Amino acid sequence: MRLGLGTVQFGSHYGIANKTGQVTSQEAKEIINLASASGIDTIDTAISYGNSENILGDVGIEKFKIVTKLPIVPRDCRDVSGWVHKQLECSLNRLKSNAVYGLLLHRSDQIFSQHGTTLCRALLKLKEEGKVEKIGVSIYSPEELNIMQRRFNYDLVQAPFNLVDQRLSKSGWLRRLKDTGIEVHTRSTFLQGLLLLTESEIPSKFDRWERIWRAWHQWLKDYKVSAVDVSLAFPLSFSQIDRVIIGTDSARQLAQLLLAYQNSPNNSFPEIQCEDEELINPSLWG
């Protein structure tokens, strides 16, 4: 199973297509139980995802590989190594676990801050202590890898990748990462749900990319396939990707995604890629 479960919805109202708000504790439990029963073995979370880690700890995550992320180091922090260890210690307490599979920097620019060198050393020490199996970084653009490759000896990279944002592959970085044995997880499979909206549901602030939406929906109509199936099939068609992280608002929605995974169409994909940062980087949507 190459799907991984994203849990940002467990701690906040997330996603442009999210109509139900933050996932309740009971719904989260049902989602996790279904994920476990379906063979999903990886859960992605973060210290900054509200009470996501608490919910995971309460439900029980012994069967899963947990990947979590560090928040940004405070500017006035005088003991970065101690801060990193404390952050992980608190995270493990919330998760009710002794170790995690992966610990990522939530932003790569932390590596180039005044605390960068100490931060990287602290992560390596946690790995040596056996509290973390793999260390790495969550990126927004492959260009970040060009800058940081000589500064940080990482094992795992999480990056956005979907039909609109294909930079990870087009840049050559996806193959380079795999060739060097680095584990690759991708997120933003549905571009925060934008790819799943009907043309009439797409917010007006995205009108400037109307050409993309028109081509996308016409392609779906011509090939008589669903947006979910094709959006999910695209990253799965790249063997270099180890886990495709998907978020969900309910167990029912996860069941639909699992069905799409099983019925993943093996065909061509529409040419709707875009390199406009204002579209492919949701943090710039406002």
Side-chain angles (χ1 to χ4, degrees), residues 53-62 89-99:
E53 290 186 333
N54 296 90
I55 291 174
L56 291 173
D58 290 342
V59 173
I61 41 81
E62 296 82 6
E89 179 184 341
C90 292
S91 183
L92 292 175
N93 287 336
R94 288 188 291 269
L95 292 166
K96 298 178 182 177
S97 178
N98 295 320

Side-chain angles (χ1 to χ4, degrees), residues 73-87 115 118-119 122 125:
V73 180
R75 289 187 178 181
D76 60 351
C77 182
R78 296 184 178 182
D79 179 10
V80 174
S81 181
W83 178 87
V84 170
H85 279 71
K86 183 63 176 180
Q87 289 294 314
H115 306 304
T118 306
L119 182 60
K125 186 175 182 181

Side-chain angles (χ1 to χ4, degrees), residues 122-285:
L123 289 173
L124 285 169
K125 186 175 182 181
L126 288 173
K127 182 179 174 182
E128 293 169 357
E129 293 173 352
K131 294 182 179 179
V132 175
E133 185 170 337
K134 295 193 174 186
I135 57 175
V137 63
S138 173
I139 64 170
Y140 287 89
S141 166
E143 292 181 0
E144 298 171 46
L145 296 173
N146 293 329
I147 303 171
M148 60 174 269
Q149 60 179 329
R150 294 183 180 179
R151 295 241 187 158
F152 184 31
N153 187 20
Y154 50 89
D155 312 299
L156 197 161
V157 167
Q158 185 190 104
F161 190 62
N162 52 63
L163 283 160
V164 179
D165 182 1
Q166 301 183 27
R167 293 172 297 171
L168 189 64
S169 174
K170 298 295 183 182
S171 66
W173 264 108
L174 179 56
R175 182 165 295 281
R176 289 168 67 183
L177 290 170
K178 199 61 182 177
D179 287 346
T180 53
I182 295 171
E183 188 168 335
V184 178
H185 294 185
T186 61
R187 65 177 187 275
S188 197
T189 306
F190 308 108
L191 195 55
Q192 274 205 24
L194 194 55
L195 287 169
L196 305 183
L197 297 177
T198 64
E199 285 189 87
S200 61
E201 290 175 326
I202 297 174
S204 59
K205 64 181 176 181
F206 297 104
D207 285 352
R208 57 192 286 196
W209 300 286
E210 182 182 1
R211 176 190 59 80
I212 291 176
W213 316 132
R214 189 185 308 116
W216 169 229
H217 288 281
Q218 185 61 51
W219 192 93
L220 292 173
K221 182 179 179 180
D222 291 344
Y223 281 84
K224 297 180 174 59
V225 290
S226 77
V228 171
D229 288 359
V230 179
S231 298
L232 188 57
F234 178 70
L236 290 170
S237 69
F238 291 81
S239 61
Q240 301 94 340
I241 296 174
D242 296 284
R243 292 292 182 274
V244 175
I245 306 299
I246 53 170
T248 181
D249 303 332
S250 65
R252 180 180 178 181
Q253 188 181 77
L254 177 58
Q256 295 173 339
L257 293 172
L258 289 166
L259 183 61
Y261 176 80
Q262 295 169 1
N263 299 329
S264 183
N266 184 20
N267 54 21
S268 59
F269 298 98
E271 292 293 334
I272 58 171
Q273 65 175 332
C274 176
E275 295 190 1
D276 189 338
E277 279 273 340
E278 293 186 16
L279 172 61
I280 59 181
N281 187 346
S283 68
L284 301 178
W285 289 357

